[in-house]
Amino acid sequence: DQQVKQNSPSLSVQEGRISILNCDYTNSMFDYFLWYKKYPAEGPTFLISISSIKDKNEDGRFTVFLNKSAKHLSLHIVPSQPGDSAVYFCAASNSGGGADGLTFGKGTHLIIQP
Amino acid sequence: DTGVSQDPRHKITKRGQNVTFRCDPISEHNRLYWYRQTLGQGPEFLTYFQNEAQLEKSRLLSDRFSAERPKGSFSTLEIQRTEQGDSAMYLCASSALAGEQFFGPGTRLTVL
């Protein structure tokens, strides 16, 4: 029973365009959400997070949107660059601030094409 | 480099043997987490410590698994009587009391 779902195993985007990665969750107790990026043979690297009291958080080229009523969040990357090619994981926590164990989705492999 | 470090990076063992992994967190972080990741899956939470206290254990952490964090610094994860299903990447992360978790490079375990 997956509580965090990333339904697109892979996504291909042209360099310079916008990449949109989606994530759905089922547990209404989740109140803190994070996106991680992972290269092969490395651990996940934190990208951006959002609390459930907000609907948007922006950091440079990365923006996360949260729609609580739909239990959906998305990560926008604009403009997409070749170095963005990686696996992106959506994660959620119900402890307020992400201080407890995170629940991850299966990931989306983003491929940026030149 | 002051990030999270894990040792060893790779471990190959035979079924039935015991293995132990080590994690050194970021020095000022109070919380330390262990996750397991198998092919095609996201990381799955195993357990976490606040300082030296183990506060939560996932049902994935069978009685063959034990984790310690003596003195609230580094942590070890031991797997006894390894099985082929234990083959995975074992990830360690650390964080301040509230905030994002920073991951180490992981230890890849292969059980033959």
Side-chain angles (χ1 to χ4, degrees), chain B residues 32-80:
Chain B
L32 185 148
Y33 308 81
W34 286 100
Y35 292 83
R36 181 179 71 185
Q37 185 177 17
T38 53
L39 195 63
Q41 303 293 319
E44 296 173 292
F45 169 72
L46 293 177
T47 188
Y48 85 84
F49 295 83
Q50 181 172 325
N51 299 313
E52 67 275 10
Q54 190 172 14
L55 295 185
E56 186 177 350
K57 292 195 287 187
S58 161
R59 66 180 185 278
L60 294 175
L61 210 67
S62 77
D63 56 6
R64 296 185 297 105
F65 288 68
S66 63
E68 294 183 344
R69 193 184 182 196
K71 303 178 183 177
S73 56
F74 71 91
S75 175
T76 58
L77 177 68
E78 181 184 14
I79 309 174
Q80 296 183 327

Side-chain angles (χ1 to χ4, degrees), chain B residues 88-102:
Chain B
M89 175 75 82
Y90 289 84
L91 294 162
C92 175
S94 70
S95 74
L97 284 179
E100 62 267 19
Q101 297 178 20
F102 294 87

Side-chain angles (χ1 to χ4, degrees), chain A residues 1-113:
Chain A
D1 177 28
Q2 269 217 299
Q3 299 186 66
V4 177
K5 300 178 184 178
Q6 294 177 257
N7 293 320
S8 298
S10 66
L11 175 67
S12 183
V13 175
Q14 201 167 12
E15 182 180 356
R17 299 290 186 104
I18 183 171
S19 295
I20 301 176
L21 296 98
N22 293 304
C23 177
D24 298 293
Y25 62 96
T26 58
N27 188 341
S28 58
M29 299 299 292
F30 287 145
D31 58 7
Y32 191 71
F33 304 89
L34 309 91
W35 284 94
Y36 284 84
K37 172 182 180 180
K38 187 179 185 303
Y39 293 119
E42 294 183 11
T45 302
F46 170 76
L47 274 177
I48 193 169
S49 62
I50 188 167
S51 165
S52 60
I53 62 173
K54 295 185 175 182
D55 55 16
K56 178 183 175 180
N57 189 26
E58 191 171 356
D59 184 2
R61 296 187 299 115
F62 303 92
T63 303
V64 57
F65 296 91
L66 175 62
N67 182 334
K68 282 190 297 182
S69 60
K71 294 191 178 66
H72 177 83
L73 64 156
S74 60
L75 174 68
H76 292 210
I77 306 172
V78 56
S80 300
Q81 299 175 353
D84 296 331
S85 295
V87 178
Y88 289 77
F89 291 99
C90 172
S93 169
N94 61 357
S95 63
D100 291 342
L102 299 175
T103 301
F104 283 83
K106 291 187 176 183
T108 295
H109 185 193
L110 176 64
I111 302 163
I112 304 301
Q113 295 185 335

